[in-house]
């Protein structure tokens, strides 16, 4: 598997993607490049290498060959097959192409940092072949903006532990690309049911009720766009990313792994075939609701049957941006709390921890004030 660090064309330093201007920055010589310029430079570098040297050109292009990468941790094998199935081990080791240090990842990590030289690395083999994403939605919210929003959100809460938003905690804020399936579909469907209309009127002392029943049929053609489904089986991450939707998918661009540089990324481990039945069920539910809304103003309507026939269904494999931070409660529960932010729109979601010490102090203060009031009233009496 290739382990890549995208290098600066001017000085060879590691490039990172900057959301503020959607370009690639070198922290050493301060050069700035577009995606087209980085891609053109890397293609030129590859073209200059003899075919038999391409696989061992780590020093020139930041690529470690398959023979340089080792898998397994603590002597355990961690084989990842082409169909995405993994063995017993859940961690894998790779060599950083910049410093040679070992990088430890789990089976779905596709981009990360070297913990020693801090250079961004992309595990290219995990996002190639059938695992190659169709599109990526680049980060638009910078880390500074994400930190500011995080502090504004958390510091306004009275009973949040102070160490939830201290400097060490803020440093844990990480940008991650998560894998998703995006579904566009066309379908034809229909709905049959019974509509009942009830009219009541009074003449003198007599109340009249008129009941009419109608056989109702509705049919239509449907176009569904941007039904986004999670492609990662990790439940915690799934809940966090779902909570910050929607994303502006029209801004997604053709996937290039350069956009991952400077961020972490996850590879999908849920295939579309696993989701297909649920997707069709969900689309049928949407279609039935749309048809039901055209029925009219009956007193009651009871659907008898409905059907939806898929005419065309297209899927895309997307990488979507999210800023994340976690916090483990410093109490007996040791519960982990999560904060997530949409890396494109800035939408925030999360569950905040509660400092019972702060809560107790406030409760004690309220009790003291009330006790003082009662004592004052008793004195006056």
């Amino acid at each position: 598997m290739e382990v890549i660090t995208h290098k600066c064309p001017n000085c060879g330093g590691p490039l990172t993607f900057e959301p503020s201007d959607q370009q690639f920055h070198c922290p050493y010589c301060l050069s700035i490049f577009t995606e087209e310029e980085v891609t053109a430079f890397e293609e030129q570098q590859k073209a200059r290498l003899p075919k038999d040297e391409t696989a061992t050109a780590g020093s020139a292009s930041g690529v470690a060959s398959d023979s340089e990468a080792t898998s397994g941790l603590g002597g355990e094998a961690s084989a990842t097959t082409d169909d995405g199935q993994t063995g017993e081990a859940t961690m894998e080791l790779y060599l950083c192409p910049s410093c040679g240090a070992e990088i430890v990842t789990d089976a779905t990590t596709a981009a990360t940092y070297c913990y020693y030289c801090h250079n961004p690395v992309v595990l290219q083999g995990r996002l190639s072949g059938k695992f190659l994403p169709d599109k990526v939605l680049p980060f638009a919210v910078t880390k500074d903006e994400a930190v500011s929003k995080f502090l504004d959100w958390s510091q306004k809460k009275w009973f949040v532990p102070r160490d939830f938003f201290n400097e060490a905690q803020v440093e844990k804020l990480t940008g991650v690309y998560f894998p998703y399936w995006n579904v566009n579909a066309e379908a034809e469907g229909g709905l049959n049911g019974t509509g009942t209309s009830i009219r009541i009127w009074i003449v003198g002392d007599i109340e009249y009720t008129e009941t009419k029943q109608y056989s109702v049929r509705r049919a239509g053609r449907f176009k569904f766009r941007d039904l986004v489904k999670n492609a990662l089986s990790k439940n915690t991450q799934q809940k966090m990313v779902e909570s910050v939707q929607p994303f502006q998918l029209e801004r997604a661009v053709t996937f290039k792994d350069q956009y991952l540089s400077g961020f972490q990324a996850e590879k999908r481990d849920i295939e579309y075939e696993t989701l297909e039945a649920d997707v069709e069920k969900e689309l049928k539910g949407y279609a039935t609701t749309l048809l039901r809304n055209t029925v009219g103003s009956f007193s009651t309507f009871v659907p008898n049957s409905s059907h939806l026939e898929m005419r065309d269904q297209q899927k895309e494999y997307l990488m979507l941006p999210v800023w994340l931070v976690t916090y483990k409660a410093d109490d007996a529960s040791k519960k982990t709390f999560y904060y997530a932010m949409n890396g494109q729109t800035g939408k925030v979601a999360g569950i905040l921890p509660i400092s019972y010490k702060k809560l107790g102090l406030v409760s004690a203060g309220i009790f003291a004030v009330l006790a003082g009031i009662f004592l004052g009233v008793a004195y006056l009496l």
Side-chain angles (χ1 to χ4, degrees), residues 46 63 87 90 94 97 110 124 139 149 157 170 174 215 249 275 281 298 308 316 341 343 354:
K46 291 179 181 178
V63 178
T90 58
Y94 298 94
Q124 193 181 46
F139 273 87
K149 288 177 180 291
K157 313 299 181 181
V170 169
T174 305
S215 178
L249 299 182
L275 304 172
K281 181 178 180 181
F298 291 103
L308 184 71
E316 290 180 324
M341 176 190 295
I354 296 176

Side-chain angles (χ1 to χ4, degrees), residues 309-372:
E309 183 178 353
M310 306 301 297
R311 294 297 189 188
D312 183 31
Q313 192 172 154
Q314 299 175 346
K315 62 182 186 296
E316 290 180 324
Y317 177 27
L318 302 180
M319 304 294 286
L320 301 180
V322 179
W323 287 102
L324 298 176
V325 66
T326 62
Y327 173 80
K328 181 168 287 189
D330 188 19
D331 56 26
S333 70
K334 299 298 181 184
K335 183 178 179 181
T336 301
F337 295 86
Y338 300 90
Y339 164 90
M341 176 190 295
N342 187 310
Q344 181 204 31
T345 66
K347 180 181 177 181
V348 171
I351 300 176
L352 289 169
I354 296 176
S355 171
Y356 292 100
K357 182 178 180 181
K358 281 187 177 181
L359 186 61
L361 291 173
V362 171
S363 300
I366 294 174
F367 178 79
V369 171
L370 292 176

